[in-house]
Amino acid sequence: MDTDSARPAVTELRLSAFKTHRGVTLPLGPLTLLSGESGSGKSSALQAYEFLARLGSGEPLPKAVEAVAGGAAACVPAAARPDRQGRRGFRLGCTVDGPVGLVHLDLAVQAEPELRIVGERLTGGGETLLTTALTDPDRPAVQAAWHTAGATPVTRAPLPDDRLGTSLLPLRVAGKTAGQRLVLDAAEQVVVALRSAFACDPLPEVMRGDRTGAATGAGPGAGAVTAGRRASGRGAKATKPAGRGGAGARGRDGGAAGGWGHHGDEEPDEGRLRSSCDNLPAVLERTSRECARRHAVLVAAVREACAGPVEGLRAVPRQPNGAGGGQGVTVAEVAAVAAGGAGGAGVASAGRSAAAGGPVPGVRAVIDRGAWAMPVEQLGDGELRFLGLALVLLTGPGVLAMDPAGEIPSAQQQLTVMADGMDRCMDDRQARELVSLAVRMAARGHVRLLGTVRDPSVVEGLPGVQVLHLGA
């Protein structure tokens, strides 16, 4: 792939038969917001995108479908009738633009009586690059045929029926002919675009230290696996990139070795922001050290969105005896602790010694209010959600608990942030400021946003914002 060209990005999401959607095509721009009445399918669209992203990351089908609330059965349209063999399923796909041009991926998934991918089609460059079909229901495999354009027009071989065939092509295609190289480039483009996605849903109750909301999957549209990640307090670990180097390797539990999931004996990386933003203080400490310019932009955005004065935003060690509790402290005390005085050992060492689960015990985030500093957990729900989402928009894959494509430099990738209920708990001023920040970051070409909103009128007049009204 010519990585000096356009960055791969999903530009269209197709919901042919998925939950309440039938024959729906959603064009996705750099900044796309979905609106509509309750039940119009806004959250379902984001769940479909996350499902594809997980498959592109190398996850097995049973694990990837956990991105959808209710699992595989919930993906099947309610009116879908089983065939003579009692089979029901769902269909969806996407289009990815990039160096190869437009590449289209379409999937047919059987949900009942057993979960399996029964059909996959990859097209691009005027060619059908990959097709798969279920030919023997008794075997856990599909028959695949991919474009060769050599002495043999196509190559045929079985592929597992619980994996995205596109992500496995780099392991099976030699790349000797022009046709094979087109297949590899198109597959890599799709996988890179799908893997460059991060679902963010800041949970104020979890950010304040209450883990009970996370264990029940708090938040509209939260999938089962998302709830599990929040409850465990563990982020995603890296998989083997599913580009030319191959798809995700098998882990000890038989699934992908990382991706969106985790293993029970892995320690979370507190320096990488998780979906619920429960470890925001540790990440804030890291980002403030690594990029002062973007940290200043974050402070300016928080100043616009939060009530009261905001002169700074920083992470400081928690007092060993719990001093301060929920009370504000003076800026002088904050500075002394951050420098290692007043019994503190400095922010960095405190963060490194933090234990897992909940807000990092060794460090807390505070807002400078002038003469005193206020712990961020005292902010309102809308302010906390704004802070978490703003931090995500201003960072990148290396600071988020995700598995980006390692074979392509981050500067040549586009991160897609998925935010279901993006304006939840926010007032109109906060929602507009958050979208304004997204507009500025999207203009740089490294960040894309796909979110759902209650009231799209808050973005009126903002450049580059595409609002899609569902159910109209």
Side-chain angles (χ1 to χ4, degrees):
M1 178 185 292
D2 179 12
T3 55
D4 293 331
S5 184
R7 302 180 182 97
V10 177
T11 56
E12 184 178 270
L13 180 64
R14 291 184 295 281
L15 307 175
S16 304
F18 184 84
K19 300 188 79 170
T20 60
H21 298 286
R22 277 192 176 275
V24 173
T25 298
L26 301 176
L28 304 181
L31 210 167
T32 302
L33 300 178
L34 308 181
S35 70
E37 300 295 330
S38 177
S40 60
K42 302 185 299 295
S43 297
S44 297
L46 265 68
Q47 291 171 11
Y49 192 117
E50 184 175 354
F51 169 67
L52 290 173
R54 289 170 182 253
L55 285 177
S57 294
E59 282 198 358
L61 179 61
K63 194 171 184 64
V65 81
E66 291 177 350
V68 181
C75 298
V76 182
R81 296 183 178 181
D83 63 11
R84 294 179 180 178
Q85 286 75 37
R87 298 175 298 188
R88 297 201 311 156
F90 57 94
R91 292 179 289 118
L92 73 169
C94 66
T95 296
V96 177
D97 197 4
V100 181
L102 296 178
V103 179
H104 310 281
L105 171 69
D106 292 283
L107 289 178
V109 181
Q110 174 185 300
E112 300 169 356
E114 57 183 319
L115 183 62
R116 62 202 312 182
I117 296 175
V118 295
E120 179 176 349
R121 183 180 178 89
L122 184 72
T123 59
E127 301 286 350
T128 298
L129 305 176
L130 169 71
T131 59
T132 70
L134 181 65
T135 57
D136 185 353
D138 295 329
R139 295 182 59 194
V142 291
Q143 185 66 28
W146 57 83
H147 181 62
T148 303
T152 303
V154 297
T155 300
R156 303 182 188 276
L159 292 177
D161 64 359
D162 67 340
R163 299 278 175 162
L164 183 69
T166 297
S167 69
L168 300 177
L169 289 176
L171 299 174
R172 308 298 296 270
V173 180
K176 294 181 178 179
T177 69
Q180 291 177 337
R181 288 190 290 272
L182 175 60
V183 170
L184 287 173
D185 286 345
E188 184 176 277
Q189 176 170 299
V190 170
V191 168
V192 168
L194 289 177
R195 287 176 58 176
S196 302
F198 181 74
C200 183
D201 184 15
L203 300 178
E205 66 275 17
V206 178
M207 297 169 73
R208 295 188 181 103
D210 178 9
R211 306 297 295 172
T212 58
T216 58
V225 71
T226 305
R229 285 200 308 273
R230 291 170 183 158
S232 69
R234 297 180 186 271
K237 297 293 288 183
T239 60
K240 177 71 175 176
R244 295 292 174 88
R250 302 284 293 184
R252 289 184 295 276
D253 60 356
W260 296 72
H262 68 276
H263 299 292
D265 57 353
E266 290 175 349
E267 290 300 322
D269 184 350
E270 293 297 339
R272 302 180 71 191
L273 190 66
R274 295 188 283 269
S275 175
S276 63
C277 298
D278 62 308
N279 62 331
L280 183 142
V283 177
L284 184 64
E285 185 276 325
R286 173 187 172 184
T287 57
S288 63
R289 285 187 292 105
E290 294 182 352
C291 187
R293 182 177 58 84
R294 291 204 176 191
H295 183 73
V297 175
L298 176 64
V299 172
V302 172
R303 183 180 300 120
E304 293 295 325
C306 293
V310 176
E311 297 188 7
L313 180 64
R314 67 181 79 183
V316 299
R318 291 178 179 271
Q319 294 299 305
N321 60 359
Q327 304 299 318
V329 296
T330 67
V331 173
E333 291 172 329
V334 170
V337 174
V347 176
S349 60
R352 285 193 298 270
S353 62
V360 183
V363 66
R364 79 185 314 174
V366 298
I367 291 180
D368 290 347
R369 294 292 200 187
W372 60 290
M374 184 185 79
V376 298
E377 53 262 34
Q378 293 184 18
L379 292 173
D381 286 0
E383 293 171 321
L384 278 175
R385 283 185 56 81
F386 179 94
L387 176 57
L389 287 165
L391 182 58
V392 170
L393 291 171
L394 285 164
T395 57
V399 186
L400 303 175
M402 60 177 291
D403 177 28
E407 66 273 21
I408 295 180
S410 59
Q412 295 170 344
Q413 299 181 40
Q414 288 191 92
L415 169 69
T416 296
V417 177
M418 296 179 289
D420 191 15
M422 188 184 72
D423 57 348
R424 192 185 325 131
C425 302
M426 298 185 195
D427 58 33
D428 291 351
R429 175 178 57 91
Q430 292 166 335
R432 186 175 180 84
E433 178 62 28
L434 182 63
V435 178
S436 296
L437 177 63
V439 168
R440 297 198 299 272
M441 298 310 297
R444 301 187 179 191
H446 295 289
V447 176
R448 297 169 67 90
L449 174 66
L450 174 61
T452 68
V453 293
R454 301 186 314 273
D455 181 10
S457 64
V458 299
V459 304
E460 289 181 357
L462 293 179
V465 181
Q466 174 183 236
V467 178
L468 302 180
H469 300 276
L470 303 187

